[in-house]
């Protein structure tokens, strides 16, 4: 059977001759919009390479996020997928995508909508659903994401992984996505690495994350000022931290709030001022974490211990999880005779002046 999946296998389906992506851009007068951080990838050898990172796609169901003029779309279709769902927010690209749809009858569904709000639980046939412990379903998400949406989108999907809903309603759906090179480095950074960050912990505690290859910026039109990383995610059967997403996120965000200081400085802001030092010391000791380690030096097991102990403290004091350090800071800064709403109005006026 391995022969069938060997590189260079001739796919059963091939797109008929079509205008090039460059010709499509001219035909429909498409221009990348800077405010939407759009960049087109015209080199079909590179789009083929991205699609290969997703794995064997023969008869797979694929959702492509933000297909734009359709470069990656062509490579996905040439991989002989069973069905391709295209979710595109920008109406200017829809006519070109419809042309591709006609060239692959019955294989393409186009949704004009925002992937951040699109209900992925209805995107694929229910019979594809697998148990979480099983092999991943034959479903893939692929996308050359605009830089402006890539980080909020992956954070949203990581929360979906944690809850096993959205695209992960069907099981451990795999994702192959592009990010700015620096974001790709953060997603995969190891303990002690310069790029170790909130994204490193949140992604690696829920997924196996692989930085596949780098695409130079000059391969895109218009050329971005940064290179682009192609990153592959496979959700883990068991998360490395067995706590709710929001709790893990709060602990990790707090620690990295002061990334140049000792990790205890970030832990402090989990607690109200009146009991801050006592509770921080209690948490660090119970979690067996050296308070003089820097945030980038904390391993996944350190974060697991911190989250587990913080959860126990929250269970003992339910008001603790709702505590917000920034809110307490704002309240302290309020003039004594000024209400909070009045203060906010004053701040807004100052911004607009």
């Amino acid at each position: 059977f391995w022969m069938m999946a060997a590189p260079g296998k001739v796919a059963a389906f091939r797109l008929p001759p079509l205008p090039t992506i460059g010709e499509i851009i001219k035909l429909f007068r498409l221009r990348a919009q800077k405010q939407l951080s759009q960049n087109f990838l015209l080199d079909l050898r590179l789009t083929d390479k991205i699609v290969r990172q997703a794995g064997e796609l023969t008869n797979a169901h694929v959702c492509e996020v933000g297909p734009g003029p359709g470069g990656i779309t062509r490579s996905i279709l040439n991989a002989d997928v069973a069905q391709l769902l295209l979710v595109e927010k920008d109406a200017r690209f829809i006519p070109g995508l419809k042309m591709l749809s006609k060239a692959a009858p019955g294989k393409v569904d186009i949704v004009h909508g925002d992937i951040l709000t699109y209900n992925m639980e209805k995107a694929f046939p229910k019979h594809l659903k697998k148990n979480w412990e099983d092999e991943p379903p034959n479903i893939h998400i692929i996308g050359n994401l605009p830089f402006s949406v890539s980080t909020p989108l992956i954070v949203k999907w990581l929360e979906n992984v944690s809850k096993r809903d959205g695209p992960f309603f069907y099981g451990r759906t795999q994702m192959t996505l592009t990010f700015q090179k620096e974001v790709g480095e953060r997603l995969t950074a190891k303990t002690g690495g310069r790029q170790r960050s909130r994204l490193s912990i949140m992604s690696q505690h829920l997924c196996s994350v692989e930085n596949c290859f780098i695409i130079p910026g000059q391969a895109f039109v218009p050329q971005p000022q940064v290179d682009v990383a192609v990153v592959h995610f496979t959700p883990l059967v068991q998360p490395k931290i067995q706590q709710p997403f929001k709790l893990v996120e709060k602990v990790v965000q707090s620690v990295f709030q002061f990334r140049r200081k000792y990790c205890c400085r970030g832990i402090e802001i989990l607690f109200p001022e009146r009991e801050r030092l006592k509770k921080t010391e209690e948490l660090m000791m119970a979690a067996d974490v050296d308070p003089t380690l820097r945030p980038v030096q904390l391993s996944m097991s350190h974060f697991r211990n911190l989250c587990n102990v913080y959860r126990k403290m929250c269970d003992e004091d339910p008001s603790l999880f709702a505590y917000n350090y920034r809110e307490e800071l704002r309240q302290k800064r309020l003039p004594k005779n000024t209400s909070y709403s009045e203060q906010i109005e004053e701040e807004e006026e100052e911004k607009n002046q």
Side-chain angles (χ1 to χ4, degrees):
F1 288 104
W2 67 271
M3 290 287 288
M4 294 178 68
K9 164 186 171 276
V10 177
F13 173 85
R14 298 299 291 181
L15 283 168
L18 289 164
T20 66
I21 298 298
E23 288 166 348
I24 290 281
I25 289 169
K26 284 179 185 170
L27 181 64
F28 294 104
R29 296 180 180 177
L30 302 174
R31 296 183 69 182
Q33 294 198 357
K34 194 172 183 181
Q35 66 268 32
L36 299 178
S37 62
Q38 292 174 337
N39 302 96
F40 304 149
L41 191 54
L42 308 188
D43 188 337
L44 293 184
R45 292 169 301 177
L46 284 172
T47 60
D48 285 348
K49 190 175 179 183
I50 291 171
V51 170
R52 282 198 297 274
Q53 302 307 313
E56 177 55 60
L57 294 185
T58 304
N59 295 322
H61 287 248
V62 177
C63 172
E64 186 188 353
V65 184
I72 293 176
T73 313
R74 297 182 186 211
S75 295
I76 295 170
L77 287 170
N78 280 329
D80 200 17
V81 298
Q83 200 70 30
L84 175 56
L85 170 67
L86 304 175
V87 182
E88 178 53 66
K89 185 178 179 180
D90 192 332
R92 298 174 306 142
F93 297 121
I94 302 297
L97 296 174
K98 284 182 176 174
M99 179 187 290
L100 272 177
S101 177
K102 286 176 185 172
K107 281 185 178 278
V108 181
D109 293 307
I110 301 170
V111 171
H112 177 211
D114 188 343
I115 193 65
L116 285 165
T117 55
Y118 180 65
N119 183 3
M120 293 285 281
E121 290 186 20
K122 296 181 179 177
F124 305 106
K126 294 289 187 287
H127 70 82
L128 296 171
K129 189 174 180 180
K130 294 275 193 82
N131 292 323
W132 194 261
E133 297 72 24
D134 294 343
E135 286 297 304
N138 202 12
I139 295 172
H140 296 262
I141 297 172
I142 299 175
N144 172 31
L145 304 177
F147 295 154
S148 59
V149 79
S150 60
T151 300
L153 184 57
I154 196 59
V155 171
K156 171 184 160 62
W157 277 341
L158 288 170
E159 184 168 8
N160 289 142
V161 171
S162 176
K163 295 177 177 177
R164 302 182 184 181
D165 61 10
F168 311 98
F169 166 80
Y170 300 91
R172 295 185 298 120
T173 301
Q174 297 177 79
M175 303 182 286
T176 308
L177 306 167
T178 63
F179 298 88
Q180 288 185 53
K181 183 184 173 188
E182 186 179 277
V183 177
E185 289 170 350
R186 284 182 203 154
L187 286 162
T188 55
K190 304 301 178 196
T191 306
R194 192 171 59 86
Q195 294 284 22
R196 185 79 160 172
S197 67
R198 172 182 68 115
L199 273 181
S200 316
I201 309 302
M202 297 310 295
S203 57
Q204 292 170 37
H205 109 81
L206 290 162
C207 296
S208 166
V209 191
E210 180 192 357
N211 201 333
C212 302
F213 67 98
I214 303 298
I215 304 175
Q218 62 259 35
F220 293 86
V221 177
Q223 180 179 333
Q225 294 181 333
V226 294
D227 293 337
V228 172
V230 177
V231 184
H232 184 76
F233 302 80
T234 306
L236 298 169
V237 173
Q238 289 292 340
K240 294 185 178 164
I241 304 171
Q242 301 274 349
Q243 295 297 345
F245 183 87
K246 291 295 184 188
L247 184 141
V248 178
E249 186 175 47
K250 185 177 184 184
V251 171
V252 174
Q253 272 183 331
S254 298
V255 169
F256 280 101
Q257 187 77 35
F258 305 96
R259 60 181 294 119
R260 294 169 191 267
K261 298 186 182 294
Y262 293 145
C263 64
C264 60
R265 178 67 187 94
I267 290 296
E268 285 177 6
I269 67 174
L270 291 169
F271 304 106
E273 188 177 31
R274 66 182 180 277
E275 52 185 3
R276 184 164 291 154
L277 294 178
K278 180 185 168 213
K279 292 286 188 186
T280 299
E281 187 177 344
E282 187 184 318
L283 173 52
M284 301 299 285
M285 284 186 68
D288 192 25
V289 175
D290 179 349
T292 64
L293 289 173
R294 307 286 179 184
V296 299
Q297 295 175 299
L298 296 185
S299 67
M300 193 64 75
S301 60
H302 285 137
F303 278 105
R304 183 190 305 119
N305 293 351
L306 289 168
C307 291
N308 289 345
V309 176
Y310 180 63
R311 171 67 185 271
K312 284 182 187 172
M313 296 170 87
C314 289
D315 288 345
E316 290 164 8
D317 177 5
S319 69
L320 185 56
F321 186 69
Y323 167 71
N324 185 307
Y325 168 72
R326 290 180 179 278
E327 181 63 25
E328 184 178 56
L329 215 55
R330 274 199 292 265
Q331 292 292 346
K332 279 178 68 178
R333 288 173 179 165
L334 291 178
K336 285 185 180 176
N337 298 322
T338 307
S339 74
Y340 179 56
S341 59
E342 286 173 344
Q343 178 77 2
I344 294 295
E345 285 173 15
E346 286 174 15
E347 287 176 3
E348 288 301 318
E349 281 178 19
E350 284 175 15
K351 280 183 196 171
N352 295 328
Q353 283 173 0

